[in-house]
Amino acid sequence: MNLQPTIGLEIHVQLDTRTKMFCACELSFGEPPNTRTCPVCLGLPGALPVLNAQSIHFGLMIGHALGCELAPQSIFHRKNYFYPDLPKGFQISQYDAPLCRGGSLGDVRIDRVHLEEDAAKLNHVGVSGRIHGAGSSIVDFNRGGTPLVEVVTEPDLHDAEEARVWLALLAATMRQLGVSDVRMAEGSLRCDANVSLAPAGSGELGVKTELKNMNSFSFVKRGIEAEIARQRALLESGAEVVQQTLHFDPRSGNLTSLRSKEEAHDYRYFPEPDLVPIAIDEEMVQRAREAVGELPATRIARYEHLGLSAEHAHQFAFRPALGSFFEAVLSAADGASPRELATWTAHVAAALGERDPDASALEPAALAALVALVGAGRVAAGPARTVVLARLLSQGGDPARIVEQEGVGALDDDAGLADAVAAAIAEHPDAAERLRAGNAKAIGPIVGHVMRATKGRADGGEVTRLVHERLGL
Amino acid sequence: MLDRDQVLHVARLARLELTHDEVERMSRELSAVLDHIETISELDLESVAPTSHVIEIANALRADEPRPSLSREVALAGAPAVAEEGFEVPTPGS
């Protein structure tokens, strides 16, 4: 039986506002427990919520970025359930009148985008680090009331890796918009996945299960893989998938069923009477539209159109600092191909690791000049990268001068290089023999010898040409 | 008429413990409320937008500017139990 998986995602992203969604408490970044609370976010009797304008602005920016339809009028609902991290006994969320509907990102359609408040944090281990007495937990309300945007996709994904890549695109989009820092490890982006399997081409969806609360790209991938394997085994053995909510433990790789209390989904939504409707006017829509810059998906398309490899296009689009650096190199360059400039920008990224190019001494114009020197054959690619670029990154300066100072200028195909080739062939008669006999790989030791002798200054292509010429090949 | 099980289900969702007599009374009273809503449903309201709020205003928004929070001592003052700088609660499900 050829079973095809179908996956839909629900993503919660914490918004980077200064204050909480319905009160003026500052958002918390590791402050001591219960120091960012007030009567509103503690759910004290008589306290009334007032909506943060910035959360609507960010919601509309996301709506624009995902091509959603922005609801002219939307309202908040109460989602009722009891849990210690929810002091009011309900979460303020949106139900049948969300801020945004429809839209898409890449090949995945968006069902809806809505706003809601985050719950508090329930700790089973106290600040002292010791495991608290069995049967009791500690609530820290610092996080309670943080604005969240929830993005719900249509079931348009079909494997775990595809889901991981798409989620990374969504995260990059949020980061580029500046609406969230998207630090997954700290829980600022959390993902649920709905997974089902059905015979390929049947046009039907199987019984789905929901994987809850995964907070890293790789956990999302591994969790979905594990669930697809579990459902496949069930269906292939003739058993049925039971609709349930699952938790994926990334350490053990196990899936466990979250006890499904029958009332768990009986949330009795009703319109939040303490909040008035949100009516989007043209000015709010316009302001949000202007705040949306170029998005990763658009950037990828533009870079690929410039001739960049898919890998570089993704790399620069997903890391805005790298993308801006590349753009600066591109505008400083005179004649070099964007693809070549991208390769060198990627060298810079590889050398810097997590650091952004702005944090190094390298000027975009200097990189463009170095690429031009390489293109003109004034310095070979090897030393240009290992010697000149390394110095530009640490000290900056003029590449042509550095080439001169370091003595790494390319050797012309003059007597010097020809002599080096002759000497290398003489040193490696076996290799020369095998090369003559048609073993192309045998050239390695000879070229290596020339490179060592010239300290990498020789151009590899030129050396190969000279070796062949000398051996009469 | 709401049956006994429906009343008990709603009571459980609201974490209410009802006596036998209260279940009987709630069954009658809630049914009367629902009947009244049934009556409203008989009206032709096709062209009337649902009312979500009694005041006809929109966009009561607040600028994103912080104001001081409560001190932890004050925040925890009403807590039934305090431990580890937080509200101590029974672990859910335990």
Side-chain angles (χ1 to χ4, degrees):
Chain A
M1 191 168 21
N2 184 13
L3 293 165
Q4 190 191 33
T6 298
I7 302 154
L9 302 177
E10 291 177 20
I11 304 98
H12 289 90
V13 181
Q14 281 182 351
L15 296 176
D16 258 346
T17 51
R18 294 180 66 195
T19 66
K20 292 187 180 182
M21 190 146 189
F22 298 112
C23 64
C25 287
E26 265 188 273
L27 296 197
S28 174
F29 298 95
E31 275 72 20
N34 293 301
T35 54
R36 293 279 167 90
T37 71
C38 74
V40 173
C41 57
L42 287 174
L44 298 186
L48 288 172
V50 186
L51 180 58
N52 183 342
Q54 187 72 353
S55 64
I56 298 295
H57 177 60
F58 283 169
L60 294 175
M61 283 175 67
I62 294 165
H64 275 307
L66 302 180
C68 304
E69 192 185 314
L70 310 179
Q73 174 124 341
S74 70
I75 60 171
F76 285 97
H77 272 71
R78 290 186 179 182
K79 179 180 181 177
N80 298 280
Y81 64 97
F82 284 105
Y83 211 73
D85 60 9
L86 206 60
K88 301 187 293 294
F90 59 85
Q91 177 192 31
I92 303 178
S93 181
Q94 293 195 290
Y95 183 52
D96 58 1
L99 190 65
C100 316
R101 276 184 198 278
S104 64
L105 178 66
D107 296 334
V108 175
R109 290 168 301 150
I110 305 294
D111 172 43
R112 57 187 276 151
V113 176
H114 76 240
L115 298 171
E116 61 186 32
E117 57 178 342
D118 205 349
K121 212 168 193 168
L122 196 57
N123 295 309
H124 304 297
V125 178
V127 283
S128 66
R130 81 185 162 87
I131 296 191
H132 203 71
S136 77
S137 303
I138 308 297
V139 193
D140 170 11
F141 282 97
N142 282 357
R143 191 182 73 183
T146 297
L148 294 179
V149 67
E150 177 173 338
V151 176
V152 181
T153 77
E154 298 284 355
D156 285 349
L157 293 155
H158 297 287
D159 77 57
E161 172 62 9
E162 194 188 358
R164 186 191 66 79
V165 170
W166 187 84
L167 189 61
L169 174 62
L170 180 71
T173 302
M174 296 289 180
R175 209 175 284 127
Q176 177 87 47
L177 286 170
V179 298
S180 176
D181 58 9
V182 199
R183 284 178 299 213
M184 281 188 89
E186 284 147 58
S188 58
L189 186 151
R190 308 191 287 271
C191 182
D192 304 340
N194 290 301
V195 179
S196 68
L197 260 60
S202 69
E204 286 175 11
L205 293 175
V207 175
K208 70 175 180 189
T209 56
E210 188 177 16
L211 287 173
K212 275 287 191 197
N213 243 336
M214 295 175 284
N215 69 347
S216 95
F217 296 128
S218 69
F219 294 171
V220 168
K221 181 182 175 184
R222 287 170 49 211
I224 293 172
E225 274 170 352
E227 179 53 10
I228 289 173
R230 191 188 70 88
Q231 290 190 17
R232 191 183 295 279
L234 279 175
L235 293 170
E236 285 177 350
S237 71
E240 284 180 354
V241 173
V242 179
Q243 183 161 354
Q244 60 185 327
T245 302
L246 297 164
H247 169 74
F248 174 67
D249 181 348
R251 270 167 301 185
S252 66
N254 289 338
L255 292 157
T256 46
S257 181
L258 296 175
R259 233 179 313 159
S260 54
K261 300 188 190 79
E262 61 186 75
E263 73 269 28
H265 287 288
D266 200 344
Y267 293 128
R268 295 146 294 141
Y269 284 97
F270 64 88
E272 164 59 274
D274 290 343
L275 289 165
V276 299
I278 310 160
I280 304 305
D281 61 29
E282 193 44 47
E283 195 257 324
M284 292 161 89
V285 171
Q286 189 55 33
R287 209 163 62 79
R289 187 182 291 123
E290 283 163 10
V292 174
E294 188 184 35
L295 297 164
T298 321
R299 250 189 197 206
I300 289 171
R302 183 162 62 84
Y303 287 160
E304 287 186 342
H305 187 72
L306 281 175
L308 269 61
S309 69
E311 188 195 344
H312 289 160
H314 274 81
Q315 190 184 8
F316 302 166
F318 279 27
R319 264 185 69 186
L322 214 50
S324 322
F325 184 80
F326 169 69
E327 307 271 344
V329 175
L330 193 62
S331 61
D334 190 14
S337 80
R339 196 184 174 89
E340 193 63 21
L341 295 167
T343 301
W344 282 89
T345 303
H347 290 335
V348 169
L352 292 174
E354 294 288 299
R355 282 198 303 145
D356 289 334
D358 287 355
S360 77
L362 176 65
E363 293 293 329
L367 185 64
L370 178 59
V371 176
L373 290 177
V374 174
R378 302 257 314 274
V379 56
R385 185 176 174 182
T386 55
V387 179
V388 187
L389 181 58
R391 225 180 100 172
L392 286 170
L393 286 168
S394 61
Q395 298 164 34
D398 171 28
R401 275 192 64 106
I402 296 173
V403 167
E404 210 173 291
Q405 287 167 358
E406 299 280 347
V408 292
L411 293 176
D412 300 326
D413 67 340
D414 58 6
L417 188 54
D419 287 351
V421 168
I425 290 172
E427 285 286 324
H428 297 276
D430 296 353
E433 202 47 52
R434 277 183 283 130
L435 188 57
R436 274 202 193 89
N439 181 354
K441 282 186 192 155
I443 200 170
I446 300 173
V447 174
H449 191 98
V450 176
M451 288 301 176
R452 277 192 303 281
T454 60
K455 299 195 176 73
R457 293 154 68 200
D459 175 75
E462 182 63 11
V463 173
T464 303
R465 196 186 65 75
L466 287 170
V467 172
H468 282 236
E469 187 181 273
R470 188 152 187 101
L471 294 178
L473 294 171
Chain B
M1 187 79 172
L2 272 169
D3 65 28
R4 192 184 150 75
D5 284 348
Q6 286 171 309
V7 172
L8 286 174
H9 177 65
V10 174
R12 182 167 159 64
L13 290 174
R15 300 293 189 276
L16 292 175
E17 208 173 331
L18 301 183
T19 64
H20 181 77
D21 287 351
E22 283 170 328
V23 173
E24 293 302 317
R25 186 160 65 85
M26 285 302 153
S27 176
R28 276 196 314 277
E29 289 184 2
L30 288 174
S31 295
V33 173
L34 292 181
D35 287 348
H36 181 66
I37 290 165
E38 284 294 310
T39 309
I40 295 173
S41 299
E42 286 168 17
L43 296 171
D44 178 10
L45 299 172
E46 196 67 24
S47 58
V48 181
T51 304
S52 63
H53 202 280
V54 291
I55 314 169
E56 265 196 72
I57 55 166
N59 297 350
L61 302 175
R62 169 179 62 80
D64 187 22
E65 282 157 16
R67 278 199 292 205
S69 295
L70 299 175
S71 71
R72 185 191 298 128
E73 291 65 36
V74 174
L76 294 175
V82 173
E84 303 269 349
E85 304 179 352
F87 296 76
E88 185 178 21
V89 297
T91 300
S94 69

